[in-house]
Amino acid sequence: MAAMSFVISISVMTLFWGIVGGVVPWFIPKGPNRGVIVTMLVLTAVCCYLFWLIAILAQLNPLFGPSLSTDVIWYLNYHWS
Amino acid sequence: MSSLLRGEEMCLAQLFLQSGSAYDCINELGELGLVEFRDLNPSVNAFQRKHVNEIKKCEEMERILGYLLREVKKADISLPERDVNPGAPLPKHVMAIMEQLQRLEVELGEVTRNKEKLQRNLLELTEYTHMLRITRNFVQRTAEREPLQVQYEEFPFLEKDTMMDYSSMQRLGAKLGFISGLIQRTKIEAFERMLWRVCKGYTILSYAEVEEYLDSPDTGEPTKSVVFLISYWGDQIGQKVKKICDCYHCHLYPYPSSNEERNDVVEGLKTRIQDLHTVLYRTEDYLRQVLIKASESVYTWVIQVKKMKAIYYILNLCSFDVTNKCLIAEVWCPVNDIPTLRRALEEGSRKSGATVPSFVNRIPTNDTPPTLIRTNKFTSGFQSIVDAYGVGSYREVNPAPFTIITFPFLFAVMFGDLGHGVIMALFAFWMVLYENNRKLKKTRNEIWNTFFEGRYIILMMGLFSIYTGLIYNDCFSKSLNIFGSGWSVKAMFTAGVWKMEGIHGNNFLTLDPNVTGVFTGPYPLGIDPIWNLASNRLTFLNSYKMKMSVILGIVHMSFGVVLSTYNHMHFRKKYNVYLVFLPELLFLLCLFGYLVFMILYKWLVFSAKDSRQAPSILIHFINMFLMQGDAVQPLYPGQNGLQVFLVVIAVLSVPVLLLGKPLYLYWLHNGRHRLGMYRGYERVRRNSEEELYLLRAHDMEEGSSHSDLSSSGECQTEEFDFADELLHQAIHTIEYCLGCVSNTASYLRLWALSLAHAQLSEVLWAMVMRVGLKMDTTLGVLFLVPVFGLFAVLTVSILLVMEGLSAFLHALRLHWVEFQNKFYSGMGVKFCPFAFSLLPSSAEHEGLL
């Protein structure tokens, strides 16, 4: 289950940013601004994907857990599944 | 796109302008804004240039226009709002404009002077009226009795009051004089004392204050005055009194000697004042009419005079060719615009009705042309922040198209808050929507102008901040739980690690990811929301953000190094790719790329099960340099060998970087020379190839020998100084290698600023908003309104403005130093075309328009 959600999220994000950075540039109409727009799309895709990837990889195998106060523990026990 | 990636190709051109059509041609060029003129008379003084008289005339007209504008502004007449763009006037129309302006100036001056005189007159008369009214009270008792008395010489009437007594004084034969007037209230005591001391009691001063504030005729400002009446007898005393009055700047008015005279004077004054009011009103009306009429055309004239002056400046830059009877101008022009330039010259010639057309001729040159990069309203903001560091050298890679995304991205990494990003984006969006509103565009507030010019930058920063805020899971310091947290508290209870009784009491318990079911997987979008509730939140976040900063930094820097290949390839210095780029990249990747690899490896391989043996990456990295691989447990088999290999490659690339290029160039210049061929043109650009071609052709005409050719050719190429080149390369090597380490550490500011922002945000919430939310419902509702107001003000001022500026500055620094010193030299000159729209008029300079 855990691996499943991880696989889903990673493939969704990779696909999404892959489309933004790799597929959409082919559809930008020719004009004086085509180069700038393509550069922007590719850079955005790379930056945002890398940023998300770092966030998820850092949490993949946590070496320690969060330290919660007892009130919070009590609350989470009842309210979060 | 090629225009934004690197500057346009420029060429030097000569314009041959017929004397008759020179003015019109330059007019056309000014409207189009195509070319930049070079000064062909640099040694000539500004006062000795050809068209200095015309420029003087223009400046005279500008002076008059400035005066007119100030008068119009004083009278609060609004200038016409429409965007007019009149063309420059022909020289024959200039006289007419000049005459009109001079006439207007004279008329305005006269009317203004008259008005001032009338006003002063009016004030004086008003003062006189007040004076008469008040001095009437001084002599009230005497005046009442006067008609009842019959003057008999033999029977003097004994008056009981000590004030003026005509008859008794007259009997004594002395002449009683009166001086009356007004003096400022602040001076009256000193005046009285002075009178007493000087005149030794032979004067009597009585005074009373005027109740209302009167406008003083000298200054026009309301002052408090005192009416005084001095009676004296004796001529000499009179002189002294007059001198003292002069000294104290009193306004003296004639004192009427009898009641009838006084009444007459008062009547006369009344009518005069009424007349003056009427005349003054009419004068002001007339003045206003004149100004309104002037204001209709003054705006057009300002622009016309500005254009004319600019054209004459340019004409002064040209040189006069006596043989062909035409003006020669040298201009920098983009190669793509030469046809437009030709058309403009034809148009100018046609307009002036010249028979011989003016034409343009491209000439080869060795000088470096200025850099032109065409931008639109979106890219101009980013281009300007790149140019603020340094304008790109001619035809070098422009970092601006990449800065459009990386700058807002790095800003957002440091700013990372969803709520703040939304506010910032909305603000920028509002500015963008209303960008054509004239009032927004043309305010004189410098700070607002700066924000407005950067509206697209702020919009991008806001949008990226929304994304990074989502990933950091930080919205006004609270986290969003969209997908359900990956950590489960229940699992700790079901596994028996925690007991229900154990959670009473005020302590902290840590979730253990080793227990089954506690950690169900990483949160799909960003940081898990449970960390916001944890007390050891910063321990986790710091480690994450530091590693993130290092990874982003190394990727950014590698990108910069890769961009330098564009420059090497474009300038046909292929050897640079092997001798400079490759060692640089190897050095960077072998050391710091390996660091990134280790970070990723640790994230992927080590989990809670072996958390005890989780290595410290920093220790491993340091040990790598010291070649002490045995000190700690290896991360993976073969780590030692790989690390040694990488360090060796990195260390070897340093001498290659240091010596490769100078040695190669030395071999190139000297080895080829010995072979007697003249091939040292590798480093000469295409433009000067033309020049060398011409030179070679010229030499061949003169019939010089082959060896002479090669030696002269040698002189024409750049002087190759080995020591100079070696020093330059040594500095570059040291800068690069040390820079790699320091720049990587410099990227840790991404972590530092994002931590500061998150903490400030949290403090603001805890100290301000939570106080309001914790209260009772009834009181809390009332209390919450000012609390929220305070929260909003502090959020905008501290978190948005202050932190925003701070993150902006640091992102800018990261770009200018860490990114651009890998490939950008920024030593060019910006192309400033001659365009009327870019010239501010002198009136705008003074802030009148």
Side-chain angles (χ1 to χ4, degrees):
Chain A
M1 195 57 218
M4 192 61 180
S5 76
F6 175 63
V7 165
I8 290 177
S9 50
I10 212 174
S11 41
V12 165
M13 281 301 247
T14 313
L15 200 64
F16 175 70
W17 288 117
I19 290 178
V20 168
V23 176
V24 176
W26 293 108
F27 292 100
I28 304 293
K30 277 205 197 320
N33 293 325
R34 180 167 198 254
V36 177
I37 297 180
V38 166
T39 312
M40 281 171 63
L41 282 171
V42 171
L43 272 175
T44 312
V46 168
C47 288
C48 293
Y49 181 66
L50 185 65
F51 194 64
W52 169 83
L53 191 68
I54 293 173
I56 200 166
L57 287 182
Q59 296 177 98
L60 193 57
N61 295 317
L63 296 173
F64 58 92
S67 168
L68 306 167
S69 84
T70 41
D71 300 324
V72 176
I73 292 175
W74 182 91
Y75 177 84
L76 292 183
N77 191 20
Y78 282 103
H79 289 262
W80 279 11
S81 58
Chain B
M1 164 60 170
S2 61
S3 176
L4 196 58
L5 182 61
R6 58 177 86 247
E8 293 244 337
E9 197 185 340
M10 311 283 286
C11 66
L12 191 64
Q14 261 183 340
L15 304 176
F16 289 87
L17 306 165
Q18 292 300 86
S19 319
S21 45
Y23 188 90
D24 290 286
C25 289
I26 297 187
N27 192 2
E28 280 298 310
L29 290 178
E31 296 287 343
L32 288 173
L34 280 178
V35 298
E36 180 182 349
F37 282 84
R38 271 172 119 190
D39 191 357
L40 289 176
N41 310 318
S43 50
V44 180
N45 194 340
F47 294 102
Q48 289 163 351
R49 301 220 183 198
K50 190 156 172 256
H51 296 278
V52 68
N53 285 332
E54 281 87 352
I55 293 190
K56 275 196 199 144
K57 260 196 274 184
C58 290
E59 290 193 340
E60 172 70 18
M61 284 198 274
E62 276 182 344
R63 183 191 62 79
I64 300 179
L65 280 168
Y67 167 66
L68 281 177
L69 274 172
R70 266 191 295 273
E71 291 297 315
V72 166
K73 238 187 150 78
K74 251 203 296 193
D76 271 332
I77 299 175
S78 61
L79 292 170
E81 279 295 318
R82 56 185 194 279
D83 267 316
V84 290
N85 194 15
L90 297 172
K92 53 192 182 211
H93 298 321
V94 170
M95 282 315 294
I97 300 182
M98 183 79 166
E99 269 171 39
Q100 266 184 310
L101 281 176
Q102 275 168 340
R103 200 165 35 82
L104 264 177
E105 185 190 18
V106 161
E107 202 175 342
L108 261 182
E110 256 183 48
V111 174
T112 321
R113 266 194 301 276
N114 276 348
K115 186 177 119 173
E116 279 170 17
K117 220 164 37 155
L118 287 172
Q119 264 176 338
R120 202 188 355 242
N121 224 355
L122 179 64
L123 290 173
E124 282 176 1
L125 292 181
T126 323
E127 279 190 348
Y128 197 5
T129 326
H130 280 284
M131 190 213 84
L132 287 175
R133 182 174 51 87
I134 290 178
T135 51
R136 175 195 293 272
N137 297 337
F138 293 164
V139 299
Q140 195 64 17
R141 269 183 283 168
T142 322
E144 273 174 0
R145 292 212 201 131
E146 252 192 74
L148 304 173
Q149 285 177 3
V150 175
Q151 300 287 357
Y152 287 121
E153 274 284 299
E154 312 78 72
F155 301 103
F157 213 99
L158 208 62
E159 290 294 335
K160 289 290 192 291
D161 63 4
T162 52
M163 301 233 328
M164 22 273 137
D165 184 6
Y166 290 139
S167 31
S168 50
M169 286 295 166
Q170 271 168 353
R171 250 184 336 119
L172 287 175
K175 190 152 178 272
L176 185 66
F178 294 96
I179 290 188
S180 61
L182 280 92
I183 184 176
Q184 280 186 19
R185 205 250 307 259
T186 45
K187 298 185 186 172
I188 183 68
E189 280 109 18
F191 184 56
E192 192 174 4
R193 241 176 285 137
M194 179 71 82
L195 267 179
W196 178 257
R197 285 200 197 122
V198 171
C199 307
K200 301 184 188 67
Y202 280 95
T203 60
I204 299 176
L205 169 73
S206 42
Y207 59 87
E209 201 173 300
V210 183
E211 304 83 33
E212 59 266 5
Y213 278 89
L214 295 174
D215 285 342
S216 149
D218 304 323
T219 56
E221 277 159 18
T223 45
K224 247 335 186 140
S225 309
V226 168
V227 170
F228 65 86
L229 179 62
I230 303 176
S231 50
Y232 61 90
W233 51 288
D235 261 333
Q236 276 180 344
I237 302 279
Q239 307 285 350
K240 283 192 195 162
V241 170
K242 280 209 184 68
K243 280 212 188 99
I244 296 176
C245 287
D246 274 336
C247 192
Y248 278 86
H249 301 294
C250 307
H251 303 145
L252 297 176
Y253 299 106
Y255 185 71
S257 38
S258 71
N259 236 13
E260 290 89 30
E261 203 184 325
R262 179 201 297 274
N263 287 341
D264 286 336
V265 170
V266 166
E267 288 297 322
L269 276 182
K270 259 203 220 131
T271 38
R272 271 177 72 191
I273 288 181
Q274 247 179 344
D275 285 340
L276 262 183
H277 269 301
T278 328
V279 172
L280 207 57
Y281 177 70
R282 289 265 166 78
T283 316
E284 276 179 7
D285 210 31
Y286 178 64
L287 185 65
R288 203 180 164 77
Q289 299 265 351
V290 170
L291 282 177
I292 288 180
K293 192 148 166 302
S295 76
E296 286 163 14
S297 19
V298 76
Y299 194 57
T300 331
W301 284 334
V302 164
I303 299 183
Q304 283 185 316
V305 170
K306 168 184 98 164
K307 289 189 179 179
M308 199 163 69
K309 192 169 163 196
I311 294 180
Y312 280 117
Y313 262 126
I314 297 295
L315 282 174
N316 272 343
L317 298 179
C318 308
S319 76
F320 188 69
D321 183 10
V322 191
T323 52
N324 298 339
K325 291 208 184 49
C326 64
L327 281 172
I328 302 184
E330 262 184 30
V331 298
W332 289 111
C333 179
V335 171
N336 294 337
D337 279 341
I338 298 238
T340 327
L341 180 59
R342 283 216 174 90
R343 267 199 302 274
L345 286 180
E346 278 166 18
E347 182 73 18
S349 307
R350 192 185 55 81
K351 271 198 187 152
S352 67
T355 46
V356 184
S358 313
F359 59 95
V360 64
N361 192 17
R362 194 175 152 175
I363 54 176
T365 174
N366 256 344
D367 292 340
T368 320
T371 315
L372 168 68
I373 298 181
R374 293 196 205 272
T375 54
N376 54 25
K377 67 182 178 187
F378 179 71
T379 54
S380 64
F382 298 99
Q383 185 65 48
S384 65
I385 61 178
V386 169
D387 284 344
Y389 174 75
V391 178
S393 313
Y394 180 61
R395 297 289 270 173
E396 126 178 285
V397 161
N398 180 23
F402 311 108
T403 307
I404 298 178
I405 294 293
T406 56
F407 176 77
F409 177 68
L410 287 183
F411 170 90
V413 170
M414 292 191 267
F415 194 70
D417 189 306
L418 182 64
H420 301 152
V422 166
I423 299 178
M424 189 179 265
L426 282 176
F427 172 62
F429 199 53
W430 169 75
M431 279 199 288
V432 166
L433 275 181
Y434 285 93
E435 67 185 355
N436 288 324
N437 183 343
R438 284 194 73 206
K439 220 155 47 105
L440 282 181
K441 264 203 286 204
K442 289 200 183 159
T443 53
R444 226 104 49 62
N445 189 349
E446 278 296 321
I447 299 183
W448 166 258
N449 267 345
T450 317
F451 277 108
F452 186 72
E453 291 293 315
R455 58 195 182 278
Y456 285 105
I457 307 181
I458 300 180
L459 180 63
M460 298 295 283
M461 294 190 322
L463 291 175
F464 272 100
S465 297
I466 296 178
Y467 180 75
T468 55
L470 259 180
I471 302 287
Y472 283 153
N473 219 343
D474 192 359
C475 176
F476 294 116
S477 84
K478 295 287 149 207
S479 286
L480 305 171
N481 190 357
I482 310 175
F483 299 98
S485 171
W487 294 83
S488 164
V489 169
K490 266 208 175 68
M492 290 293 278
F493 284 100
T494 48
V497 183
W498 290 349
K499 311 250 188 312
M500 281 311 286
E501 306 80 38
I503 63 168
H504 300 296
N506 208 1
N507 49 354
F508 286 88
L509 299 171
T510 311
L511 278 91
D512 186 357
N514 275 325
V515 176
T516 45
V518 170
F519 177 63
T520 53
Y523 192 70
L525 188 67
I527 303 292
D528 201 295
I530 200 167
W531 288 106
N532 198 284
L533 305 165
S535 67
N536 61 347
R537 166 173 183 243
L538 284 181
T539 320
F540 170 71
L541 278 184
N542 281 350
S543 155
Y544 154 67
K545 282 184 181 173
M546 276 199 260
K547 292 175 180 167
M548 167 202 75
S549 312
V550 167
I551 295 176
L552 286 179
I554 293 171
V555 168
H556 201 209
M557 286 198 289
S558 319
F559 181 50
V561 174
V562 165
L563 273 181
S564 69
T565 49
Y566 275 72
N567 275 340
H568 299 321
M569 299 302 287
H570 181 260
F571 290 124
R572 310 250 189 83
K573 294 187 186 176
K574 210 149 172 229
Y575 59 88
N576 265 340
V577 176
Y578 303 116
L579 295 172
V580 175
F581 163 70
L582 214 52
E584 281 181 355
L585 194 66
L586 279 177
F587 186 81
L588 184 63
L589 288 183
C590 285
L591 295 178
F592 297 97
Y594 180 66
L595 178 64
V596 171
F597 166 73
M598 278 208 288
I599 294 175
L600 289 172
Y601 184 82
K602 183 177 172 183
W603 274 346
L604 290 171
V605 171
F606 285 86
S607 71
K609 284 185 272 301
D610 30 10
S611 63
R612 294 215 177 258
Q613 293 99 18
S616 159
I617 303 235
L618 210 50
I619 307 273
H620 278 268
F621 195 55
I622 295 174
N623 283 340
M624 174 166 135
F625 280 103
L626 300 177
M627 307 266 200
Q628 277 176 14
D630 303 326
V632 283
Q633 190 87 316
L635 285 174
Y636 50 89
Q639 178 188 17
N640 248 348
L642 181 65
Q643 280 183 186
V644 168
F645 175 63
L646 289 174
V647 172
V648 164
I649 290 190
V651 168
L652 279 182
S653 58
V654 174
V656 174
L657 185 59
L658 175 66
L659 297 171
K661 181 167 156 186
L663 284 178
Y664 176 75
L665 287 173
Y666 180 73
W667 173 76
L668 205 60
H669 276 82
N670 292 358
R672 304 293 177 95
H673 177 69
R674 247 178 276 126
L675 292 174
M677 310 255 293
Y678 98 129
R679 296 252 243 113
Y681 291 177
E682 306 268 39
R683 305 169 67 203
V684 172
R685 289 193 222 110
R686 204 160 28 120
N687 283 348
S688 41
E689 265 182 18
E690 272 183 17
E691 165 111 304
L692 285 153
Y693 207 101
L694 288 169
L695 205 69
R696 217 199 293 178
H698 180 74
D699 280 345
M700 277 200 217
E701 278 175 34
E702 301 214 326
S704 37
S705 70
H706 195 71
S707 55
D708 278 355
L709 264 175
S710 62
S711 57
S712 66
E714 190 74 66
C715 299
Q716 290 309 313
T717 59
E718 292 163 38
E719 296 286 330
F720 180 67
D721 186 359
F722 180 69
D724 193 42
E725 193 61 44
L726 187 63
L727 184 67
H728 188 82
Q729 196 62 17
I731 294 177
H732 178 81
T733 308
I734 295 175
E735 218 182 355
Y736 182 79
C737 296
L738 291 181
C740 269
V741 182
S742 81
N743 292 348
T744 308
S746 180
Y747 274 94
L748 285 173
R749 72 187 68 222
L750 294 175
W751 157 60
L753 263 100
S754 104
L755 177 68
H757 190 92
Q759 290 299 99
L760 269 176
S761 192
E762 199 176 310
V763 159
L764 204 57
W765 176 272
M767 298 279 159
V768 179
M769 203 62 184
R770 207 164 63 175
V771 168
L773 287 172
K774 265 198 205 169
M775 303 199 100
D776 239 355
T777 21
T778 41
L779 192 58
V781 168
L782 276 172
F783 198 58
L784 199 56
V785 175
V787 163
F788 177 73
L790 185 64
F791 176 73
V793 165
L794 286 176
T795 299
V796 169
S797 63
I798 298 182
L799 287 173
L800 281 177
V801 172
M802 189 187 86
E803 276 289 315
L805 281 175
S806 169
F808 181 94
L809 182 72
H810 284 282
L812 202 58
R813 177 251 153 74
L814 281 178
H815 275 76
W816 280 357
V817 178
E818 274 78 15
F819 177 57
Q820 284 179 353
N821 74 0
K822 303 287 182 289
F823 68 97
Y824 190 62
S825 56
M827 291 194 296
V829 173
K830 199 162 170 158
F831 176 70
C832 301
F834 170 63
F836 292 134
S837 51
L838 295 176
L839 298 170
S841 63
S842 64
E844 273 166 17
H845 266 301
E846 294 171 34
L848 286 170
L849 276 175

